[in-house]
């Protein structure tokens, strides 16, 4: 199986990390999202007390 | 020299220059750089939509600390997806069939998740080695089993991707060889084999996408346990 030939292993490992970290990551980092995630603001509820009319 | 069926996986070289670099650089060319226009073209919109989709999917199960991994996981997903899909075109080379590349990606990333867990929450990370509710008598055996399954994760991650893609490409080559060999002898069977080839190619498209997704998903799962 030619994948087990150890000759090009180091260069393949090195080049895969270099292309991944210096080409793919900056390219996708520069991606501009159009709607950024926002966290929902907590609404503090102040319900007015009511009494049940049991009649 | 006679070629065997495995020779398609030999890392291509021209006068000692490894050409695998070309197949690794090409996916980046297919991704458009964002401009400062409000309404972009279809390809840019598609890329934005897709990136948001995978980032959201990967980040939902993680806590806030895990969101630091958003860039590395989503760019890894895009990288592997594009490499796998481009490899299905004729006369292209798929770098992810190389065990070297997949182990190079899997092992450091898995180790990073493990070390993150051991550094920030060592008791919890080690506690994962013993599932809740195990009978006392089974504890030693189970710890050994869980440690083995932990240590075999990077190997499994790398070999899974390699084996799936290698097997797919090998099958495609075998069936297309059968189609061509049967064409002068039994044309009807050749057409049948060509139909099988069509179905197989559709399967390989699915496998290419799924395997890239599974690789990144498992890494995010290992991260969830440890962050």
């Amino acid at each position: 199986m030619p994948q087990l030939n150890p000759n090009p292993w180091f260069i393949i490992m090195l080049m895969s990390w270099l292309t991944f970290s210096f080409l793919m990551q900056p390219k996708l980092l520069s991606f501009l999202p159009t709607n950024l995630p926002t966290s929902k603001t907590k609404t503090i509820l102040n319900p007015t007390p009511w009494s049940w009319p049991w009649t | 020299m006679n070629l065997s069926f495995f020779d398609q996986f030999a890392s291509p070289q021209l006068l000692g220059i490894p050409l695998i670099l070309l197949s690794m650089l090409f996916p980046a060319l297919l991704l458009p750089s964002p401009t400062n226009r409000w309404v972009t073209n279809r390809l840019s919109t598609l890329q934005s939509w897709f990136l948001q989709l995978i980032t959201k999917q990967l980040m939902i199960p993680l806590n806030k600390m895990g969101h630091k991994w958003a860039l590395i996981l989503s760019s890894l997903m895009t990288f592997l997806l594009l490499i796998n899909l481009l490899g299905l075109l004729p006369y292209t080379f798929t770098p992810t069939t190389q065990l070297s590349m997949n182990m190079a990606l899997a092992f450091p990333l898995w180790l990073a998740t493990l070390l993150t867990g051991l550094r920030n929450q060592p008791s919890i990370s080690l506690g994962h080695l013993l599932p809740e509710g195990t009978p006392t008598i089974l504890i030693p055996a189970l710890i050994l089993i869980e440690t083995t399954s932990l240590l075999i994760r990077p190997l499994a991650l790398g070999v899974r991707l390699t084996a799936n893609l290698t097997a797919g490409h090998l099958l495609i080559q075998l069936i297309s060889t059968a189609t061509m060999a049967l064409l002068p002898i039994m044309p009807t069977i050749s057409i049948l084999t060509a139909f099988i080839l069509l179905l197989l190619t559709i399967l390989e498209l699915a496998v290419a996408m799924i395997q890239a997704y599974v690789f990144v998903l498992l890494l995010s799962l290992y991260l969830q346990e440890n962050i």
Side-chain angles (χ1 to χ4, degrees):
Chain A
M1 247 178 77
Q3 288 106 319
L4 298 176
N5 171 22
N7 200 6
W9 267 57
F10 177 67
I11 197 122
I12 293 177
M13 286 175 154
L14 184 71
M15 282 196 291
S16 60
W17 268 105
L18 287 178
T19 48
F20 174 60
S21 44
F22 291 121
L23 236 97
M24 290 300 292
Q25 288 200 22
K27 207 162 182 61
L28 293 176
L29 192 61
S30 63
F31 143 77
L32 307 159
T34 46
N35 52 337
L36 295 163
T38 50
S39 52
K40 288 193 251 193
T41 51
K42 287 189 203 159
T43 52
I44 303 165
L45 294 169
N46 256 332
T48 53
W50 70 95
S51 59
W52 291 104
W54 271 287
T55 43
Chain B
M1 51 171 263
N2 256 339
L3 287 173
S4 73
F5 279 110
F6 276 106
D7 283 336
Q8 59 175 314
F9 302 118
S11 179
Q13 292 203 337
L14 184 64
L15 301 174
I17 306 166
L19 295 176
I20 195 170
L21 185 64
L22 269 174
S23 32
M24 286 200 269
L25 292 175
F26 193 65
L29 287 174
L30 296 173
L31 299 167
S33 298
T35 59
N36 48 8
R37 280 171 167 264
W38 179 251
V39 179
T40 47
N41 56 3
R42 267 181 286 226
L43 189 59
S44 292
T45 319
L46 202 68
Q47 182 196 290
S48 310
W49 166 79
F50 185 67
L51 269 180
Q52 277 181 323
L53 181 75
I54 56 178
T55 315
K56 180 190 69 171
Q57 277 288 95
L58 289 170
M59 293 296 120
I60 279 177
L62 296 171
N63 60 10
K64 258 210 161 152
M65 285 282 284
H67 290 182
K68 291 184 202 170
W69 285 66
L71 176 66
I72 201 166
L73 288 177
S74 44
S75 55
L76 185 67
M77 168 81 186
T78 317
F79 190 44
L80 290 176
L81 186 71
L82 281 175
I83 283 184
N84 290 351
L85 287 174
L86 283 172
L88 287 170
L89 297 169
Y91 292 107
T92 52
F93 181 73
T94 322
T96 37
T97 52
Q98 302 298 308
L99 192 62
S100 42
M101 174 173 173
N102 296 341
M103 290 307 293
L105 290 173
F107 191 80
L109 290 170
W110 163 82
L111 195 63
T113 61
L114 184 69
L115 292 177
T116 311
L118 284 177
R119 187 182 183 274
N120 298 336
Q121 39 176 52
S123 311
I124 300 178
S125 292
L126 286 172
H128 282 303
L129 291 176
L130 187 67
E132 251 185 78
T134 44
T136 321
I137 198 162
L138 283 176
I139 289 179
L142 210 58
I143 291 186
L144 283 172
I145 293 172
E146 290 286 330
T147 312
T148 318
S149 85
L150 177 75
L151 294 174
I152 216 163
R153 276 177 183 176
L155 198 70
L157 215 53
V159 173
R160 182 185 299 112
L161 187 57
T162 313
N164 267 294
L165 263 77
T166 309
H169 282 262
L170 209 59
L171 268 174
I172 287 178
Q173 188 175 25
L174 281 167
I175 299 199
S176 45
T177 312
T179 314
M180 292 312 290
L182 286 171
L183 197 59
I185 309 168
M186 290 185 280
T188 327
I189 308 290
S190 177
I191 293 170
L192 201 65
T193 324
F195 180 65
I196 294 177
L197 184 63
L198 178 70
L199 294 177
L200 187 66
T201 315
I202 296 170
L203 177 72
E204 285 312 311
L205 271 168
V207 165
M209 296 190 278
I210 289 169
Q211 285 306 317
Y213 176 61
V214 160
F215 192 93
V216 179
L217 183 73
L218 282 172
L219 271 173
S220 75
L221 280 171
Y222 301 154
L223 185 64
Q224 265 174 274
E225 288 184 350
N226 284 312
I227 201 153

